[in-house]
Amino acid sequence: MNLSIVIGTCDDYLEYMPNSISLMNKYLPRELRKIVAGETETVQSEDYEWYLPGRESWGKRMRGALEKVDTKYVFFTLDDYYYSQKLSREFFNWLLLFMDREKANKLCLTPVPDSAGYKYMETIDTIKRMSPTSNWLTSVQPAIWRTDHLLNALEDSYSPWDFEITGSEKLRYNETRHYVIKLDEQVYFNFVRQGKNKTEGWDNFLKQEGLS
């Protein structure tokens, strides 16, 4: 499969990585190369490569990890997106075939309901093409990106919020190859929000997954 996974984290959020790794091992294809973009510290993790450049800016660290990717596509996710449904090899292969055919730059996985309020132009094979005037053309929501396109969308100086806001503004009116697949089930749980505030229902989610 022409796909790798890059997981963004930092020392301050490292406490979320053990559960994140456990759930990725449970629900994502095990054979995919996985690179963790961190800072200075790691947690125990078999089959995960760690990119640890030190306390550099978020954007520079993400770019450094992405430069190690040798596949056309990368599934970019963050440490606090906790997966909860199986995303099989066959599912990812189908998405990659779609991206090759449509020359897609990004394919975002969005659970129903779509709280982001994206704007769409058309629907192709149940997958929606984003309008170039949509909000959140770039976001940290789990997505498959063409690796070189994600590298171009990131700036060394970016924080995650710069990436979502400034990055989206830079692409506005010009980007027509971003897509969204609206999933029938909640395949991930955004465990914490900005400021490490836990999302409502976090305790029930951990119990459901047998985690602490």
Side-chain angles (χ1 to χ4, degrees), residues 5 7 20 22-32 34 48 75 77 83 85-89 92 109 187:
I5 300 177
I7 307 110
S20 185
S22 175
L23 293 168
M24 282 188 283
N25 288 342
K26 182 177 180 180
Y27 291 120
L28 301 185
R30 292 293 294 265
E31 69 271 19
L32 294 180
K34 300 175 182 70
Y48 286 71
F75 185 57
T77 186
Y83 292 88
Q85 296 290 337
K86 189 76 171 177
L87 298 178
S88 68
R89 177 185 178 86
F92 277 109
L109 279 60
V187 298

Side-chain angles (χ1 to χ4, degrees), residues 32-197:
L32 294 180
R33 182 187 182 196
K34 300 175 182 70
I35 302 172
V36 182
E39 287 183 315
T40 68
E41 301 177 27
T42 69
V43 297
Q44 185 175 358
S45 53
E46 292 184 16
D47 302 323
Y48 286 71
E49 302 170 37
W50 287 76
Y51 174 71
L52 301 172
R55 294 187 181 278
E56 297 180 337
S57 63
W58 181 85
K60 189 173 184 179
R61 290 187 294 105
M62 298 307 111
R63 285 181 53 82
L66 288 165
E67 285 168 354
K68 295 185 173 298
V69 171
D70 58 4
T71 52
K72 181 178 180 180
Y73 298 107
V74 61
F75 185 57
F76 183 54
T77 186
L78 298 185
D79 46 16
D80 56 354
Y81 282 101
Y82 281 9
Y83 292 88
S84 57
Q85 296 290 337
K86 189 76 171 177
L87 298 178
S88 68
R89 177 185 178 86
E90 292 73 22
F91 176 70
F92 277 109
N93 274 328
W94 177 69
L95 296 180
L96 295 180
L97 285 171
F98 175 90
M99 293 185 75
D100 277 341
R101 190 188 74 202
E102 300 298 326
K103 297 180 172 57
N105 287 327
K106 176 192 175 188
L107 177 51
C108 182
L109 279 60
T110 297
V112 176
D114 176 5
S115 59
Y118 296 128
K119 295 179 184 177
Y120 304 113
M121 296 175 66
E122 61 179 337
T123 301
I124 306 170
D125 296 346
T126 73
I127 295 174
K128 297 180 181 293
R129 183 155 70 108
M130 294 180 74
S131 166
T133 63
S134 180
N135 55 340
W136 313 118
L137 286 166
T138 60
S139 75
V140 295
Q141 194 171 14
I144 302 173
W145 293 76
R146 211 181 72 221
T147 305
D148 58 354
H149 180 65
L150 179 53
L151 274 166
N152 288 334
L154 275 163
E155 299 283 351
D156 284 354
S157 61
Y158 278 177
S159 69
W161 305 280
D162 294 329
F163 177 60
E164 294 195 315
I165 297 169
T166 306
S168 293
E169 285 301 318
K170 285 177 64 176
L171 293 182
R172 194 175 304 281
Y173 307 117
N174 297 309
E175 181 55 62
T176 60
R177 293 183 179 177
H178 282 196
Y179 292 81
V180 172
I181 181 167
K182 300 182 76 171
L183 303 167
D184 293 334
E185 298 183 16
Q186 190 85 21
V187 298
Y188 56 78
F189 181 75
N190 192 182
F191 191 73
V192 294
R193 305 290 177 169
Q194 188 174 0
K196 299 179 76 171
N197 294 309

